[in-house]
Amino acid sequence: LANREARLCAHRLANVLYAQGKYDEANNYFARVVRSCEQYEPSSSMAWEAQTGYAESLQALGRVDEALSILRQVATAYEQTHGSSHALTLAAMKRVGLALRNLSRGAEALAIYREVLECQIAALGEDHQESLSTKNSLGNILRQMGQLEEAERTHREVLAAREKSLGNEHYETLYTVHCLASDLESQWQLEESLSLYRRALEGRRQVLGAAHYATMESFFRATMALLKQGRDDTAELLARDYLKELEEKLPSESYHI
């Protein structure tokens, strides 16, 4: 990859392979681009993007500690080049936070997401979609850490803002509905949790399709909430209805990854 055009093509190929779930092959191409950039353009945006892709593929392969080290380096490079409040720096910091979360280092991840959110609110406003995305992730980390009431409060705030700006049926709104349902399920508030899982399920069926992994996750959580309530017959009926829909639609509906 001795010229920039070849590096760009290899980088795009790596992204395509990653999107297809071919993580080993994607990792190899990302690594080739990284090595080439180190030789020809070590401080370029392409170099940092290639390092990010390489780290993401490492995470997909379970090598999260290695990925974290690379992501920290990329975040530092963006900060030194663009400043601590630049969108690229904040995005890189969020990737560091996600890696920490994947390593169950919730307190460190939480601190990073709080810092990113503070910068985004100052630059973009509290109700900007970037701010809301970070805030929603913050709520998920809080739930993971067992801070359930704060997680619930955070997701309720995000849900109200997304309903207002995006509408009730937008996929981002439905994602927050699902997250809030998870907060409530963790607190054994099963009636409201089930109602929200059903809302997420029906909305995702319409917006994303029955075979989408997010829709199937809402289906699974809804059935689990029913079982926790002792409503086994209702869970069975829901499962049979969903299976029937999948069997009818899968021949013409591709699975989304």
Side-chain angles (χ1 to χ4, degrees), residues 58-78:
L58 286 172
Q59 286 199 83
L61 294 168
R63 296 160 60 183
V64 185
D65 282 307
E66 293 177 65
L68 176 60
S69 176
I70 295 169
L71 292 171
R72 286 191 187 280
Q73 294 172 21
V74 173
T76 299
Y78 277 124

Side-chain angles (χ1 to χ4, degrees), residues 169 174 200-210 215 245 249:
E169 303 305 317
L174 296 170
L201 173 59
E202 294 309 314
R204 283 172 159 178
R205 269 174 155 168
Q206 297 298 319
V207 175
L208 302 173
T215 311
E245 182 176 0
K249 291 189 174 182

Side-chain angles (χ1 to χ4, degrees), residues 122-243:
L124 304 171
E126 188 172 5
D127 291 335
H128 191 279
Q129 294 308 316
E130 288 293 331
S131 302
L132 293 175
S133 176
T134 301
K135 190 172 183 178
N136 199 87
S137 297
L138 182 65
N140 290 335
I141 297 171
L142 287 164
R143 181 177 65 250
Q144 184 180 14
M145 295 179 65
Q147 300 180 33
L148 301 178
E149 291 183 359
E150 188 177 356
E152 176 190 346
R153 182 172 62 253
T154 299
H155 283 136
R156 287 193 187 279
E157 292 171 356
V158 175
L159 179 58
R162 282 181 162 171
E163 286 177 333
K164 182 178 179 181
S165 60
L166 300 175
N168 292 346
E169 303 305 317
H170 192 278
Y171 68 90
E172 293 285 10
T173 306
L174 296 170
Y175 174 56
T176 304
V177 170
H178 182 95
C179 293
L180 177 57
S182 296
D183 301 334
L184 295 168
E185 182 186 7
S186 297
Q187 298 175 73
W188 284 87
Q189 299 180 36
L190 298 179
E191 283 293 342
E192 187 179 2
S193 173
L194 176 60
S195 175
L196 289 168
Y197 279 135
R198 284 188 179 275
R199 175 183 166 186
L201 173 59
E202 294 309 314
R204 283 172 159 178
R205 269 174 155 168
Q206 297 298 319
V207 175
L208 302 173
H212 193 282
Y213 72 90
T215 311
M216 298 186 77
E217 176 64 15
S218 291
F219 157 72
F220 175 72
R221 297 313 313 175
T223 56
M224 291 302 296
L226 285 166
L227 291 173
K228 286 181 179 179
Q229 292 178 314
R231 298 165 63 182
D232 297 19
D233 291 344
T234 306
E236 180 183 345
L237 288 173
L238 176 61
R240 289 186 182 278
D241 175 67
Y242 195 73
L243 176 59

Side-chain angles (χ1 to χ4, degrees), residues 47-60:
W48 301 329
E49 289 170 12
Q51 289 175 42
T52 299
Y54 180 58
E56 296 290 345
S57 65
L58 286 172
Q59 286 199 83

Side-chain angles (χ1 to χ4, degrees), residues 1 17 24 32 35 37 41 46 54 62 67 80-81 84 99 102-103 105 144 161 164 166 176 198 207 233 257:
L1 303 178
L17 292 167
D24 277 313
R32 288 183 61 190
R35 289 194 296 270
C37 285
E41 46 179 326
M46 182 183 291
Y54 180 58
Q80 291 174 346
T81 304
S84 60
N102 290 338
L103 289 167
R105 293 163 62 175
Q144 184 180 14
K164 182 178 179 181
L166 300 175
T176 304
R198 284 188 179 275
V207 175
D233 291 344
I257 61 172

